[in-house]
Structure formats: structure tokens, C-alpha cells
Amino acid sequence: MFDKQNIIAIGCDHGGFEMKNYLLKTLTNQGFQWFDFGTFSSESVDYPDIIHPLAKAVSDGKYQFGIILCGSGNGVQMVANKYTNVRAALCWDTEQTELTRKHNNANVLSLPGRFIPFERAEEMVKLFLNTEFEGGRHALRVDKISKTL
């Protein structure tokens, strides 16, 4: 579960800009703190330029959780998962969101800004921040994610 005293890292490209702004308002209204890595307009940008610094900060432990957005959610997730301690999960609904926290200990939520309603994204973010990792047999699997073969 996320402690509201911590800060959420958030970032997007132009495809997730409107949804990010909506989520920032709802997070603020619910008492959460956040750091916005960008983008700050709907003008076209290259998502790796935004997501690399965010993912590095999460990987380094500066932020407990991150939320990343682009049009499909795929590109930003691919970039974030390049970092050893990042487990970015692309989710489209609440069931996926809950399971990725419980079973995969995801610490970055990737959202498809052009494909889901803003209200669903808000519900998913709340669930993501308030669902605990179950550990146990899942911890053994999660520990294997960063192992090099």
C-alpha cells in the first residue's frame, strides 16, 4: 500500500497528456503528492525522453511508484522495463491492475491514454496504489525477473 507521504512519479508523451492532467487533479484532490516528469503540452514528443529519467528514479528508489502514459501504453512500458528494479505493467482494466500488484509487485502502472475512459484510469490508479503485494510464491517469481540468463 502506498503511503501518501511518498511522492508518485508520473510522466507521459503527447498521447497520454490529457489523461495525465486528469489524473493529477484527482490525485491532488485525494491528498497524494506527485512529481511530473512531463510532457507539459499536447505537442508531439519522443516518449523515451520522458520515461528514461522517470524509470531510473524509480529503479534507484527515489519513488516507490510511477504512473506512465502514452497512446497505447506499450512504448512507455517497454522503456520503463529496461531498468532493473522497475516492474512496469500495462493495464486496461481493474482486474489486471489488482493482479499485477498482488502477483507481480508492479511498481509502475502503464496506461493507454487513447483507449480507456479517464474514470476507469482513475479507478485503476486508486487500486494500484492501495493493493498490496501478496508475496509468498509470487515473491520467488518476482525475484527471478531481474536475473540475467
Side-chain angles (χ1 to χ4, degrees):
M1 184 174 287
F2 186 76
D3 178 357
K4 285 188 179 180
Q5 298 304 312
N6 291 328
I7 299 173
I8 302 163
I10 192 165
C12 68
D13 74 354
H14 52 281
F17 179 70
E18 288 183 33
M19 183 178 284
K20 180 191 76 168
N21 284 343
Y22 175 86
L23 292 173
L24 290 177
K25 287 177 189 171
T26 62
L27 288 168
T28 299
N29 290 340
Q30 294 167 19
F32 289 99
Q33 298 179 58
W34 42 266
F35 182 83
D36 188 352
F37 281 80
T39 192
F40 303 105
S41 79
S42 59
E43 290 186 33
S44 182
V45 296
D46 296 333
Y47 57 84
D49 296 340
I50 309 294
I51 304 306
H52 276 299
L54 183 152
K56 182 176 183 336
V58 171
S59 182
D60 291 347
K62 184 170 183 181
Y63 301 99
Q64 180 182 355
F65 286 123
I67 301 166
I68 55 178
L69 309 93
C70 69
S72 70
N74 281 301
V76 292
Q77 179 207 26
M78 290 176 188
V79 173
N81 279 324
K82 298 287 184 191
Y83 291 82
T84 304
N85 297 315
V86 171
R87 292 170 305 284
L90 172 58
C91 296
W92 287 61
D93 61 36
T94 55
E95 185 177 10
Q96 284 178 307
T97 303
E98 182 176 26
L99 287 174
T100 200
R101 283 289 306 128
K102 285 183 174 181
H103 294 182
N104 309 118
N105 200 18
N107 55 3
V108 174
L109 176 62
S110 180
L111 296 171
R114 293 184 176 149
F115 292 96
I116 62 173
F118 288 10
E119 295 78 16
R120 183 185 310 158
E122 179 182 358
E123 186 179 351
M124 291 165 61
V125 167
K126 286 182 202 174
L127 193 58
F128 187 79
L129 297 173
N130 291 295
T131 300
E132 300 226 14
F133 177 50
E134 289 181 353
R137 71 181 193 275
H138 303 295
L140 298 172
R141 296 168 186 157
V142 169
D143 289 345
K144 292 180 180 182
I145 292 173
S146 296
K147 292 195 178 194
T148 306
L149 299 177

